[in-house]
Amino acid sequence: MNRQSNTYTVIYSVVLVLLVGVLLSVVYQVLRPKQEENIANDTKRQILAAALITPTSGESIGDLYSEHITDSFLVNDKGDKVDSDVNAFDVNVANEVKKNADQRLLPVFICKTEAGIKYIIPVYGAGLWGPIWGYIAFDSDGDTIYGAYFAHQGETPGLGAEIEKPAFSNQFKGKEIFSNDGAFQSVKVVKNGQEPSEGAYVHAISGGTITSQGVQRMLQNSLEPYTSFFKKLNEGKEQNK
């Protein structure tokens, strides 16, 4: 075949594309288990971070997770455990927060810490440039926040991206999401000088107003469906006194 002909060029290009496609497919299949393991480990790291647990040098995330996360399950908006083919760890929270509260699968992770049992809840919302998400750890009273972890996909460095820094997330420690009369109030994210007279609040990121507002909406939307579950936790604690 004439190597200078158009036919040869087309055949050569097609064969080359097919070979490269097959090679890429093989590489993807070989690397896929490791990629999935890395994604799972990063999620486990985030869950543990909400409970103020971080790995030390040489410590495995998988082992640390197995040691501290003693159980996980799903609840509904009535606070009852539900049976599902989906594991709590595998729930797509981004999809669930778009549903009505009574249709959501609500994951709960139970974490054993030096400060006692904590209940970790995933949260998901929207920032200025993309999705934001995180995990909130609660004390056994179902009201007091023990720790928080936040992450983002594309917020502006030095501005909205500061939600992932401890300077922001540490403000949530000790905040209560219920008012004195038992009503769900979440946690407000406010500018300096605009602190509310009542209710729990933290200070917003300087220069990151829209992202900060996104965090407030995320907490309200993600945590409110757990209201019944939190109250049952509190009732159980009172009965066990």
Side-chain angles (χ1 to χ4, degrees):
M1 181 180 292
N2 182 4
R3 293 189 177 186
Q4 303 302 319
S5 67
N6 290 336
T7 301
Y8 176 84
T9 302
V10 170
I11 294 175
Y12 179 84
S13 299
V14 170
V15 171
L16 184 61
V17 168
L18 289 175
L19 288 175
V20 172
V22 170
L23 180 60
L24 289 175
S25 178
V26 170
V27 171
Y28 172 77
Q29 292 300 325
V30 171
L31 296 179
R32 184 177 180 183
K34 187 63 178 178
Q35 291 173 337
E36 292 178 345
E37 179 184 355
N38 289 340
I39 292 171
N41 281 337
D42 187 54
T43 300
K44 292 175 181 178
R45 178 189 61 80
Q46 295 179 30
I47 293 172
L48 291 172
L52 312 181
I53 299 171
T54 56
T56 57
S57 179
E59 197 168 22
S60 163
I61 285 291
D63 291 342
L64 197 63
Y65 184 87
S66 298
E67 176 186 351
H68 289 280
I69 303 300
T70 59
D71 194 12
S72 62
F73 50 83
L74 300 171
V75 298
N76 56 26
D77 68 321
K78 297 179 177 59
D80 300 321
K81 287 187 179 181
V82 297
D83 294 326
S84 174
D85 295 334
V86 181
N87 185 284
F89 187 83
D90 297 323
V91 168
N92 188 325
V93 180
N95 288 338
E96 294 301 317
V97 295
K98 298 174 184 177
K99 302 177 183 178
N100 293 330
D102 60 355
Q103 297 176 333
R104 295 187 196 178
L105 294 175
L106 305 171
V108 178
F109 300 89
I110 299 181
C111 184
K112 178 179 67 177
T113 75
E114 294 181 354
I117 296 297
K118 308 301 173 185
Y119 294 81
I120 303 176
I121 307 299
V123 295
Y124 192 95
L128 173 60
W129 301 113
I132 56 178
W133 65 90
Y135 294 88
I136 310 295
F138 289 89
D139 286 339
S140 57
D141 62 3
D143 184 12
T144 308
I145 294 177
Y146 176 72
Y149 173 87
F150 300 110
H152 66 91
Q153 181 169 298
E155 300 307 293
T156 307
L159 299 176
E162 295 296 300
I163 64 169
E164 68 182 2
K165 301 293 181 61
F168 179 71
S169 59
N170 285 345
Q171 295 184 80
F172 289 82
K173 296 178 183 178
K175 304 300 182 183
E176 297 178 345
I177 62 170
F178 290 96
S179 62
N180 292 333
D181 62 4
F184 175 79
Q185 62 180 1
S186 190
V187 178
K188 296 181 176 65
V189 184
V190 301
K191 294 182 178 180
N192 283 309
Q194 297 183 2
E195 295 83 358
S197 58
E198 296 181 352
Y201 69 86
V202 300
H203 287 117
I205 298 296
S206 178
T209 301
I210 295 178
T211 306
S212 298
Q213 292 173 344
V215 171
Q216 177 173 298
R217 289 191 297 269
M218 172 176 70
L219 295 176
Q220 178 75 32
N221 182 41
S222 298
L223 296 180
E224 189 169 17
Y226 287 90
T227 297
S228 295
F229 173 74
F230 289 139
K231 289 187 174 181
K232 286 185 178 182
L233 282 182
N234 191 270
E235 290 170 1
K237 181 183 178 183
E238 293 297 324
Q239 292 173 0
N240 291 330
K241 285 185 177 180

